[in-house]
PDB file of all heavy atoms in Angstrom:
ATOM      1  N   ARG A   1       5.268 -56.206  14.207  1.00  0.00           N
ATOM      2  CA  ARG A   1       5.923 -54.926  14.386  1.00  0.00           C
ATOM      3  C   ARG A   1       7.422 -55.145  14.584  1.00  0.00           C
ATOM      4  O   ARG A   1       7.871 -56.248  14.907  1.00  0.00           O
ATOM      5  CB  ARG A   1       5.341 -54.171  15.575  1.00  0.00           C
ATOM      6  CG  ARG A   1       5.673 -54.777  16.933  1.00  0.00           C
ATOM      7  CD  ARG A   1       5.124 -53.918  18.048  1.00  0.00           C
ATOM      8  NE  ARG A   1       5.490 -54.465  19.351  1.00  0.00           N
ATOM      9  CZ  ARG A   1       5.075 -53.950  20.496  1.00  0.00           C
ATOM     10  NH1 ARG A   1       4.264 -52.901  20.479  1.00  0.00           N
ATOM     11  NH2 ARG A   1       5.447 -54.478  21.643  1.00  0.00           N
ATOM     12  N   ALA A   2       8.155 -54.071  14.399  1.00  0.00           N
ATOM     13  CA  ALA A   2       9.613 -54.152  14.476  1.00  0.00           C
ATOM     14  C   ALA A   2      10.054 -54.009  15.921  1.00  0.00           C
ATOM     15  O   ALA A   2      10.444 -52.925  16.369  1.00  0.00           O
ATOM     16  CB  ALA A   2      10.233 -53.063  13.601  1.00  0.00           C
ATOM     17  N   ASP A   3      10.006 -55.096  16.684  1.00  0.00           N
ATOM     18  CA  ASP A   3      10.414 -55.018  18.079  1.00  0.00           C
ATOM     19  C   ASP A   3      11.928 -54.858  18.174  1.00  0.00           C
ATOM     20  O   ASP A   3      12.686 -55.321  17.316  1.00  0.00           O
ATOM     21  CB  ASP A   3       9.948 -56.257  18.847  1.00  0.00           C
ATOM     22  CG  ASP A   3      10.570 -57.536  18.320  1.00  0.00           C
ATOM     23  OD1 ASP A   3      10.112 -58.023  17.270  1.00  0.00           O
ATOM     24  OD2 ASP A   3      11.523 -58.019  18.944  1.00  0.00           O
ATOM     25  N   LEU A   4      12.376 -54.185  19.220  1.00  0.00           N
ATOM     26  CA  LEU A   4      13.782 -53.823  19.356  1.00  0.00           C
ATOM     27  C   LEU A   4      14.689 -55.044  19.372  1.00  0.00           C
ATOM     28  O   LEU A   4      15.796 -55.012  18.813  1.00  0.00           O
ATOM     29  CB  LEU A   4      13.981 -53.003  20.635  1.00  0.00           C
ATOM     30  CG  LEU A   4      15.413 -52.543  20.921  1.00  0.00           C
ATOM     31  CD1 LEU A   4      15.941 -51.666  19.787  1.00  0.00           C
ATOM     32  CD2 LEU A   4      15.480 -51.810  22.256  1.00  0.00           C
ATOM     33  N   ALA A   5      14.257 -56.126  20.005  1.00  0.00           N
ATOM     34  CA  ALA A   5      15.111 -57.314  20.082  1.00  0.00           C
ATOM     35  C   ALA A   5      15.492 -57.809  18.692  1.00  0.00           C
ATOM     36  O   ALA A   5      16.670 -58.065  18.408  1.00  0.00           O
ATOM     37  CB  ALA A   5      14.401 -58.417  20.864  1.00  0.00           C
ATOM     38  N   ARG A   6      14.507 -57.937  17.821  1.00  0.00           N
ATOM     39  CA  ARG A   6      14.797 -58.455  16.475  1.00  0.00           C
ATOM     40  C   ARG A   6      15.540 -57.414  15.631  1.00  0.00           C
ATOM     41  O   ARG A   6      16.317 -57.780  14.736  1.00  0.00           O
ATOM     42  CB  ARG A   6      13.500 -58.889  15.802  1.00  0.00           C
ATOM     43  CG  ARG A   6      12.897 -60.157  16.407  1.00  0.00           C
ATOM     44  CD  ARG A   6      11.705 -60.633  15.602  1.00  0.00           C
ATOM     45  NE  ARG A   6      11.164 -61.890  16.099  1.00  0.00           N
ATOM     46  CZ  ARG A   6      10.218 -61.992  17.024  1.00  0.00           C
ATOM     47  NH1 ARG A   6       9.712 -60.894  17.565  1.00  0.00           N
ATOM     48  NH2 ARG A   6       9.775 -63.169  17.412  1.00  0.00           N
ATOM     49  N   VAL A   7      15.291 -56.157  15.868  1.00  0.00           N
ATOM     50  CA  VAL A   7      16.028 -55.120  15.139  1.00  0.00           C
ATOM     51  C   VAL A   7      17.501 -55.169  15.509  1.00  0.00           C
ATOM     52  O   VAL A   7      18.384 -55.133  14.637  1.00  0.00           O
ATOM     53  CB  VAL A   7      15.430 -53.722  15.419  1.00  0.00           C
ATOM     54  CG1 VAL A   7      16.360 -52.634  14.886  1.00  0.00           C
ATOM     55  CG2 VAL A   7      14.057 -53.589  14.769  1.00  0.00           C
ATOM     56  N   LEU A   8      17.812 -55.267  16.794  1.00  0.00           N
ATOM     57  CA  LEU A   8      19.217 -55.345  17.204  1.00  0.00           C
ATOM     58  C   LEU A   8      19.889 -56.599  16.660  1.00  0.00           C
ATOM     59  O   LEU A   8      21.070 -56.575  16.285  1.00  0.00           O
ATOM     60  CB  LEU A   8      19.324 -55.315  18.727  1.00  0.00           C
ATOM     61  CG  LEU A   8      19.018 -53.977  19.408  1.00  0.00           C
ATOM     62  CD1 LEU A   8      19.178 -54.093  20.915  1.00  0.00           C
ATOM     63  CD2 LEU A   8      19.911 -52.868  18.873  1.00  0.00           C
ATOM     64  N   GLU A   9      19.152 -57.695  16.613  1.00  0.00           N
ATOM     65  CA  GLU A   9      19.673 -58.922  16.019  1.00  0.00           C
ATOM     66  C   GLU A   9      20.114 -58.671  14.583  1.00  0.00           C
ATOM     67  O   GLU A   9      21.150 -59.196  14.132  1.00  0.00           O
ATOM     68  CB  GLU A   9      18.574 -59.983  16.069  1.00  0.00           C
ATOM     69  CG  GLU A   9      18.977 -61.367  15.617  1.00  0.00           C
ATOM     70  CD  GLU A   9      17.820 -62.338  15.784  1.00  0.00           C
ATOM     71  OE1 GLU A   9      16.947 -62.381  14.881  1.00  0.00           O
ATOM     72  OE2 GLU A   9      17.767 -63.026  16.813  1.00  0.00           O
ATOM     73  N   ARG A  10      19.359 -57.854  13.874  1.00  0.00           N
ATOM     74  CA  ARG A  10      19.666 -57.552  12.472  1.00  0.00           C
ATOM     75  C   ARG A  10      20.761 -56.498  12.320  1.00  0.00           C
ATOM     76  O   ARG A  10      21.266 -56.305  11.210  1.00  0.00           O
ATOM     77  CB  ARG A  10      18.380 -57.100  11.758  1.00  0.00           C
ATOM     78  CG  ARG A  10      17.433 -58.255  11.466  1.00  0.00           C
ATOM     79  CD  ARG A  10      15.997 -57.814  11.265  1.00  0.00           C
ATOM     80  NE  ARG A  10      15.180 -58.917  10.762  1.00  0.00           N
ATOM     81  CZ  ARG A  10      14.716 -59.921  11.504  1.00  0.00           C
ATOM     82  NH1 ARG A  10      15.006 -59.954  12.803  1.00  0.00           N
ATOM     83  NH2 ARG A  10      14.001 -60.882  10.967  1.00  0.00           N
ATOM     84  N   LEU A  11      21.118 -55.818  13.400  1.00  0.00           N
ATOM     85  CA  LEU A  11      22.133 -54.758  13.312  1.00  0.00           C
ATOM     86  C   LEU A  11      23.508 -55.201  13.799  1.00  0.00           C
ATOM     87  O   LEU A  11      24.472 -54.441  13.682  1.00  0.00           O
ATOM     88  CB  LEU A  11      21.678 -53.545  14.126  1.00  0.00           C
ATOM     89  CG  LEU A  11      20.554 -52.702  13.533  1.00  0.00           C
ATOM     90  CD1 LEU A  11      20.210 -51.549  14.475  1.00  0.00           C
ATOM     91  CD2 LEU A  11      20.935 -52.163  12.158  1.00  0.00           C
ATOM     92  N   VAL A  12      23.614 -56.401  14.344  1.00  0.00           N
ATOM     93  CA  VAL A  12      24.870 -56.831  14.939  1.00  0.00           C
ATOM     94  C   VAL A  12      26.027 -56.758  13.939  1.00  0.00           C
ATOM     95  O   VAL A  12      27.101 -56.207  14.235  1.00  0.00           O
ATOM     96  CB  VAL A  12      24.729 -58.266  15.509  1.00  0.00           C
ATOM     97  CG1 VAL A  12      26.090 -58.853  15.818  1.00  0.00           C
ATOM     98  CG2 VAL A  12      23.867 -58.259  16.768  1.00  0.00           C
ATOM     99  N   VAL A  13      25.836 -57.286  12.748  1.00  0.00           N
ATOM    100  CA  VAL A  13      26.917 -57.306  11.755  1.00  0.00           C
ATOM    101  C   VAL A  13      27.221 -55.901  11.255  1.00  0.00           C
ATOM    102  O   VAL A  13      28.384 -55.551  11.002  1.00  0.00           O
ATOM    103  CB  VAL A  13      26.546 -58.238  10.584  1.00  0.00           C
ATOM    104  CG1 VAL A  13      27.565 -58.131   9.455  1.00  0.00           C
ATOM    105  CG2 VAL A  13      26.471 -59.683  11.074  1.00  0.00           C
ATOM    106  N   TYR A  14      26.198 -55.060  11.129  1.00  0.00           N
ATOM    107  CA  TYR A  14      26.400 -53.682  10.657  1.00  0.00           C
ATOM    108  C   TYR A  14      27.176 -52.884  11.704  1.00  0.00           C
ATOM    109  O   TYR A  14      28.026 -52.054  11.355  1.00  0.00           O
ATOM    110  CB  TYR A  14      25.045 -53.052  10.328  1.00  0.00           C
ATOM    111  CG  TYR A  14      24.371 -53.773   9.195  1.00  0.00           C
ATOM    112  CD1 TYR A  14      23.636 -54.937   9.429  1.00  0.00           C
ATOM    113  CD2 TYR A  14      24.521 -53.347   7.881  1.00  0.00           C
ATOM    114  CE1 TYR A  14      23.062 -55.641   8.388  1.00  0.00           C
ATOM    115  CE2 TYR A  14      23.942 -54.040   6.827  1.00  0.00           C
ATOM    116  CZ  TYR A  14      23.221 -55.197   7.089  1.00  0.00           C
ATOM    117  OH  TYR A  14      22.659 -55.900   6.049  1.00  0.00           O
ATOM    118  N   GLY A  15      26.885 -53.146  12.989  1.00  0.00           N
ATOM    119  CA  GLY A  15      27.670 -52.517  14.036  1.00  0.00           C
ATOM    120  C   GLY A  15      29.117 -52.969  14.014  1.00  0.00           C
ATOM    121  O   GLY A  15      30.038 -52.167  14.181  1.00  0.00           O
ATOM    122  N   ALA A  16      29.331 -54.266  13.798  1.00  0.00           N
ATOM    123  CA  ALA A  16      30.699 -54.772  13.698  1.00  0.00           C
ATOM    124  C   ALA A  16      31.436 -54.120  12.537  1.00  0.00           C
ATOM    125  O   ALA A  16      32.607 -53.735  12.662  1.00  0.00           O
ATOM    126  CB  ALA A  16      30.681 -56.293  13.538  1.00  0.00           C
ATOM    127  N   GLY A  17      30.752 -53.963  11.408  1.00  0.00           N
ATOM    128  CA  GLY A  17      31.364 -53.312  10.260  1.00  0.00           C
ATOM    129  C   GLY A  17      31.765 -51.885  10.570  1.00  0.00           C
ATOM    130  O   GLY A  17      32.834 -51.421  10.157  1.00  0.00           O
ATOM    131  N   GLU A  18      30.914 -51.165  11.281  1.00  0.00           N
ATOM    132  CA  GLU A  18      31.242 -49.784  11.649  1.00  0.00           C
ATOM    133  C   GLU A  18      32.518 -49.731  12.482  1.00  0.00           C
ATOM    134  O   GLU A  18      33.305 -48.780  12.374  1.00  0.00           O
ATOM    135  CB  GLU A  18      30.075 -49.159  12.420  1.00  0.00           C
ATOM    136  CG  GLU A  18      30.236 -47.690  12.735  1.00  0.00           C
ATOM    137  CD  GLU A  18      30.333 -46.814  11.490  1.00  0.00           C
ATOM    138  OE1 GLU A  18      29.688 -47.152  10.465  1.00  0.00           O
ATOM    139  OE2 GLU A  18      31.049 -45.796  11.542  1.00  0.00           O
ATOM    140  N   ALA A  19      32.720 -50.748  13.306  1.00  0.00           N
ATOM    141  CA  ALA A  19      33.934 -50.815  14.120  1.00  0.00           C
ATOM    142  C   ALA A  19      35.131 -51.334  13.327  1.00  0.00           C
ATOM    143  O   ALA A  19      36.237 -51.450  13.882  1.00  0.00           O
ATOM    144  CB  ALA A  19      33.692 -51.714  15.336  1.00  0.00           C
ATOM    145  N   GLY A  20      34.935 -51.665  12.034  1.00  0.00           N
ATOM    146  CA  GLY A  20      36.025 -52.136  11.191  1.00  0.00           C
ATOM    147  C   GLY A  20      36.217 -53.635  11.192  1.00  0.00           C
ATOM    148  O   GLY A  20      37.225 -54.131  10.686  1.00  0.00           O
ATOM    149  N   TYR A  21      35.248 -54.374  11.733  1.00  0.00           N
ATOM    150  CA  TYR A  21      35.336 -55.831  11.792  1.00  0.00           C
ATOM    151  C   TYR A  21      34.418 -56.464  10.742  1.00  0.00           C
ATOM    152  O   TYR A  21      33.268 -56.056  10.594  1.00  0.00           O
ATOM    153  CB  TYR A  21      34.933 -56.343  13.175  1.00  0.00           C
ATOM    154  CG  TYR A  21      35.922 -56.014  14.268  1.00  0.00           C
ATOM    155  CD1 TYR A  21      35.763 -54.874  15.050  1.00  0.00           C
ATOM    156  CD2 TYR A  21      37.014 -56.849  14.513  1.00  0.00           C
ATOM    157  CE1 TYR A  21      36.675 -54.570  16.055  1.00  0.00           C
ATOM    158  CE2 TYR A  21      37.924 -56.547  15.521  1.00  0.00           C
ATOM    159  CZ  TYR A  21      37.755 -55.404  16.289  1.00  0.00           C
ATOM    160  OH  TYR A  21      38.644 -55.107  17.277  1.00  0.00           O
ATOM    161  N   HIS A  22      34.924 -57.470  10.058  1.00  0.00           N
ATOM    162  CA  HIS A  22      34.105 -58.168   9.072  1.00  0.00           C
ATOM    163  C   HIS A  22      33.475 -59.403   9.693  1.00  0.00           C
ATOM    164  O   HIS A  22      33.817 -59.825  10.803  1.00  0.00           O
ATOM    165  CB  HIS A  22      34.913 -58.536   7.825  1.00  0.00           C
ATOM    166  CG  HIS A  22      36.075 -59.449   8.090  1.00  0.00           C
ATOM    167  ND1 HIS A  22      37.292 -59.002   8.566  1.00  0.00           N
ATOM    168  CD2 HIS A  22      36.224 -60.794   7.929  1.00  0.00           C
ATOM    169  CE1 HIS A  22      38.131 -60.023   8.682  1.00  0.00           C
ATOM    170  NE2 HIS A  22      37.509 -61.126   8.308  1.00  0.00           N
ATOM    171  N   ALA A  23      32.536 -59.995   8.965  1.00  0.00           N
ATOM    172  CA  ALA A  23      31.780 -61.159   9.446  1.00  0.00           C
ATOM    173  C   ALA A  23      31.945 -62.316   8.472  1.00  0.00           C
ATOM    174  O   ALA A  23      32.184 -62.111   7.281  1.00  0.00           O
ATOM    175  CB  ALA A  23      30.306 -60.806   9.598  1.00  0.00           C
ATOM    176  N   ARG A  24      31.816 -63.512   9.004  1.00  0.00           N
ATOM    177  CA  ARG A  24      31.789 -64.710   8.156  1.00  0.00           C
ATOM    178  C   ARG A  24      30.635 -65.600   8.588  1.00  0.00           C
ATOM    179  O   ARG A  24      30.258 -65.622   9.769  1.00  0.00           O
ATOM    180  CB  ARG A  24      33.104 -65.488   8.241  1.00  0.00           C
ATOM    181  CG  ARG A  24      34.272 -64.792   7.571  1.00  0.00           C
ATOM    182  CD  ARG A  24      35.494 -65.695   7.479  1.00  0.00           C
ATOM    183  NE  ARG A  24      36.600 -65.014   6.845  1.00  0.00           N
ATOM    184  CZ  ARG A  24      36.791 -64.931   5.530  1.00  0.00           C
ATOM    185  NH1 ARG A  24      35.922 -65.516   4.714  1.00  0.00           N
ATOM    186  NH2 ARG A  24      37.815 -64.291   5.033  1.00  0.00           N
ATOM    187  N   THR A  25      30.095 -66.328   7.628  1.00  0.00           N
ATOM    188  CA  THR A  25      29.121 -67.361   7.953  1.00  0.00           C
ATOM    189  C   THR A  25      29.840 -68.705   7.955  1.00  0.00           C
ATOM    190  O   THR A  25      30.796 -68.912   7.202  1.00  0.00           O
ATOM    191  CB  THR A  25      27.968 -67.367   6.935  1.00  0.00           C
ATOM    192  OG1 THR A  25      28.496 -67.295   5.597  1.00  0.00           O
ATOM    193  CG2 THR A  25      27.059 -66.173   7.159  1.00  0.00           C
ATOM    194  N   ILE A  26      29.386 -69.608   8.830  1.00  0.00           N
ATOM    195  CA  ILE A  26      30.078 -70.890   8.992  1.00  0.00           C
ATOM    196  C   ILE A  26      29.065 -72.028   8.967  1.00  0.00           C
ATOM    197  O   ILE A  26      27.932 -71.891   9.432  1.00  0.00           O
ATOM    198  CB  ILE A  26      30.902 -70.927  10.293  1.00  0.00           C
ATOM    199  CG1 ILE A  26      30.034 -70.584  11.510  1.00  0.00           C
ATOM    200  CG2 ILE A  26      32.092 -69.990  10.201  1.00  0.00           C
ATOM    201  CD1 ILE A  26      30.771 -70.722  12.844  1.00  0.00           C
ATOM    202  N   LEU A  27      29.493 -73.166   8.403  1.00  0.00           N
ATOM    203  CA  LEU A  27      28.654 -74.353   8.287  1.00  0.00           C
ATOM    204  C   LEU A  27      29.489 -75.609   8.506  1.00  0.00           C
ATOM    205  O   LEU A  27      30.672 -75.648   8.136  1.00  0.00           O
ATOM    206  CB  LEU A  27      28.019 -74.452   6.899  1.00  0.00           C
ATOM    207  CG  LEU A  27      26.770 -73.629   6.582  1.00  0.00           C
ATOM    208  CD1 LEU A  27      26.411 -73.795   5.117  1.00  0.00           C
ATOM    209  CD2 LEU A  27      25.606 -74.060   7.457  1.00  0.00           C
ATOM    210  N   THR A  28      28.864 -76.646   9.046  1.00  0.00           N
ATOM    211  CA  THR A  28      29.479 -77.964   9.061  1.00  0.00           C
ATOM    212  C   THR A  28      29.299 -78.583   7.675  1.00  0.00           C
ATOM    213  O   THR A  28      28.403 -78.188   6.913  1.00  0.00           O
ATOM    214  CB  THR A  28      28.820 -78.877  10.097  1.00  0.00           C
ATOM    215  OG1 THR A  28      27.481 -79.170   9.672  1.00  0.00           O
ATOM    216  CG2 THR A  28      28.799 -78.229  11.474  1.00  0.00           C
TER     217      THR A  28
END
């Protein structure tokens, strides 16, 4: 089931975008 914890994990970047902030992925 779609538990809230995992749903919020999936919304973090979308929330940042709404605030006008972009995201990057990083790797060694």
Side-chain angles (χ1 to χ4, degrees):
R1 70 177 182 184
D3 63 282
L4 180 60
R6 289 187 176 90
V7 169
L8 289 181
E9 186 177 83
R10 285 158 170 77
L11 286 179
V12 166
V13 172
Y14 296 83
E18 186 62 33
Y21 290 94
H22 61 279
R24 289 189 180 275
T25 46
I26 54 175
L27 279 175
T28 68

